[in-house]
Amino acid sequence: MSTNNSSQAHPRGALVYYVRDVVKTRESEGVAFRLKVPSLQIAMGEKIALVGESGCGKSTLLDILAFILKPSSVGAFRFRPERDGDPLDMDAYWKAGRLNQLGDLRKRYLGYVMQTGGLLPYLTVRENMDLCRNVLGLAQDGTIEHLAEQLGIAKHLNKLPEALSTGERQRVAIGRALAHRPSIVIADEPTASLDPYAAQKIMAHFMELVEELNITVILASHAWRHIKELGLRRLHHRTFRSEDRNLTETIVSG
Amino acid sequence: MGVPLRKVFALASRDYVHEWQMSVCFVLALAAVLGPMLVLFGLKFGIVGAMIDQLIEDPGNREIRPVSSGRYDRSWLESVRRRPDVSFLVPRTRSIAATIELSSEDSSRHVRVELIPSDQGDPMLSPRGDRPEGVTRIVLSRSAAEKLQVAAGDTLDGSLARQYRGQKERVHLPLTVAAVAPARAFARDGAFVSVNLLEALEDFRDGRAVPRMGWSGDRENSIRTYPSFRLYARSIYDVAALRDAFANLGVDVHTHAAEIELVQRMNRNLTAIYWIIAVIGLFGFSLSLGASLWANVDRKRKELSVLRLVGFRTMDIAWFPMVQALYTAILGWALAVGLYLLVAGVINQMMASQLGQGQQVCQLLPHHYGIALALTCAAAVIAAGLAGLRSAHIEPSASLRDL
Ligand SMILES: Nc1ncnc2c1ncn2[C@@H]1O[C@H](COP(=O)(O)OP(=O)(O)OP(=O)(O)O)[C@@H](O)[C@H]1O
Ligand SMILES: [Mg+2]
């Protein structure tokens, strides 16, 4: 089940993520899933893709990397958002239950694009895109309008999300994740609900924007075909099933 | 480094307005509980208030009268008068001796009137009118004045007779009408006169000499005692305590304490009943608001976890139900007050013919509205606190995808 693309050396340099021996076990109704990450290092500015079938644990890994899911056990989990800052020990944050500090890190350094939705229905498109900037106290400087222009949703800025098509909503979600110039954007199958043509177009826009802003990207997808063309580094992973099919285990490294 | 409260407020408000149908339902539900409660309290307050007003308005309710006659001397009466809860006290002479026959120039009739001892500050007399003074100026009761066809300033002839040493003697004395008392002061034919005049008349009837009036008789120098007195308490609320004080002194008195206590007890009972209803009502409202806010947290799980995802802190999230509950409380209160004013207006209009000028059956004071608002907000805050606690525990990863 292992997939492997043309092997390339790890681009070393300033590491944003340093992960060693992180395990997450999820269990319900006697069926367990285990994600194991023996080693994962992501450098600043890298574009990473996590490609795999449904249920293999992509979202699980992304949520751990976005500090919204607590790992079951950790060898080392360090996060260094600033090039010349000290790495932060995320395990310590989790163990101390400092959820507010994790929230502060997300607010400042992360943008997150969900598979679908994630927009606030009571805010206009402009306000939704401005949400992260707003809570950070950033001033209106035309960023939103510029982004909306690039994503092709400029004419929808004053509408509520309910008046938008699914694809347009996805573009708004992408805009929101980028608007506050985060150092890392995590996108969990951002185009899964779109037709392939629209998906390709939106992803091309997305890659253009992150390239322009020099943002580290971690992207999950179940289709490698059109991801390939975007020039992302693919993470290796293997998925095993136990004989009684009650335990699924995915091992990711890269 | 939480999100500024101003922004949390703005977002919670936007959500509240966006879900206006839901919000309207909450507001209506609150007004439906609070409005009738305000009307109920307004009625209680208005009716009991009117009854208390009536009690206070009639000074007769403050009167304390000895049941049987006794022998009270000046110094004892003086000591009672100095009590802070006594507002007025004059001694009474024997009632047998306290009558006089009056006649005026305008009326041929002779009218026998009862004499009531009075003095400065008599609560039964109008505070603006003239007082009885000395042995000539008296205040007539309304019915006596009508029979004699006199008004303030007119003169009268008073006459009284006694049996002295086997002979009938009659004396006349000139009197002036100082004022006519209000009708409710004394219903029969009567006159409010100074204690001095009453003492002189009693002496004359008893066959004693009254040199001041030029009436001859025996000279006895016994210390004067009075069989009774006219006493008015400072307020209706002092009546019961005074009655008990007299009982301790061995003086049985007749008072209106029972009626006053009845009204007070009714006030207390109605207040207790009202509060039971109010507490049940507010508790029910608090519970239903709490339940719906609690359910709201579930309904909005995804939205709230989006906020968590973009870095809202636990407290920021907990403010959401709080702000929205306060909106419900304030709007619901305003609607309830509007309802109350409408209903109270109708009730007062309906009752207007049965009531005196300016009296209202349904009435609230400004601070009652304030108390209602404070209680409602408190109930809402408690309800929202539980929901807030729950919303603060939303785990973003578990909730982000459950759509
Ligand atoms: N809350 C949970 N409790 C228990 N098991 C869970 C929970 N969430 C996910 N799982 C299990 O973990 C495994 C991985 O789930 P995950 O959402 O990471 O998959 P995925 O790769 O993102 O799939 P997809 O491509 O469909 O989004 C699944 O087998 C799922 O059944
Ligand atoms: Mg997924």
Side-chain angles (χ1 to χ4, degrees), chain B residues 302-315:
Chain B
K302 180 154 182 173
E303 290 161 34
L304 291 175
S305 53
V306 167
L307 293 176
R308 240 189 128 111
L309 182 67
V310 300
F312 275 61
R313 292 186 157 203
T314 311
M315 270 316 292

Side-chain angles (χ1 to χ4, degrees), chain A residues 59 63 68-69 100 103-104 106-107 112 114 116 118 120-123 127 132 134-135 137 160 176 188, chain B residues 1-4 7 11 14-15 18 302-303 306-314 320 395-397 400-401:
Chain A
S59 299
D63 285 359
I68 52 177
L69 187 63
N100 285 338
D104 289 344
R106 278 200 297 276
K107 176 160 69 183
Y112 197 106
M114 274 176 268
T116 50
L120 298 176
Y122 45 87
L123 296 183
E127 288 162 331
C132 295
N134 194 10
V135 296
L160 288 180
R176 185 179 69 194
D188 188 2
Chain B
M1 210 186 77
V3 179
K7 287 177 181 166
L11 280 176
R14 290 294 292 272
D15 189 17
H18 182 74
K302 180 154 182 173
E303 290 161 34
V306 167
L307 293 176
R308 240 189 128 111
L309 182 67
V310 300
F312 275 61
R313 292 186 157 203
T314 311
F320 254 71
E395 204 201 325
S397 95
L400 272 175
R401 294 186 183 79

Side-chain angles (χ1 to χ4, degrees), chain A residues 25-29 31-35 50 52-63 69 115 188-189 220-222 241 248 250, chain B residues 397-398 401:
Chain A
T25 308
R26 311 183 101 165
E27 196 176 341
S28 68
E29 319 275 334
V31 183
F33 169 80
R34 186 180 296 142
L35 173 78
L50 182 58
E53 68 195 80
S54 177
C56 74
K58 302 183 293 292
S59 299
T60 306
L61 178 60
L62 293 194
D63 285 359
L69 187 63
Q115 206 158 336
D188 188 2
E189 308 196 47
S221 174
H222 53 253
R241 274 207 181 84
T248 311
T250 297
Chain B
S397 95
R401 294 186 183 79

Side-chain angles (χ1 to χ4, degrees), chain B residues 61-107:
Chain B
N61 287 315
R62 291 189 277 132
E63 186 176 9
I64 292 175
R65 204 157 9 101
V67 172
S68 49
S69 58
R71 298 164 67 82
Y72 310 107
D73 59 31
R74 275 252 173 217
S75 64
W76 185 85
L77 290 170
E78 190 56 36
S79 72
V80 172
R81 202 178 53 165
R82 268 192 249 110
R83 285 177 65 112
D85 49 1
V86 171
S87 88
F88 181 79
L89 176 96
V90 284
R92 273 182 196 278
T93 53
R94 271 183 292 107
S95 53
I96 281 285
T99 59
I100 195 168
E101 212 156 282
L102 296 178
S103 60
S104 70
E105 283 168 12
D106 289 342
S107 166

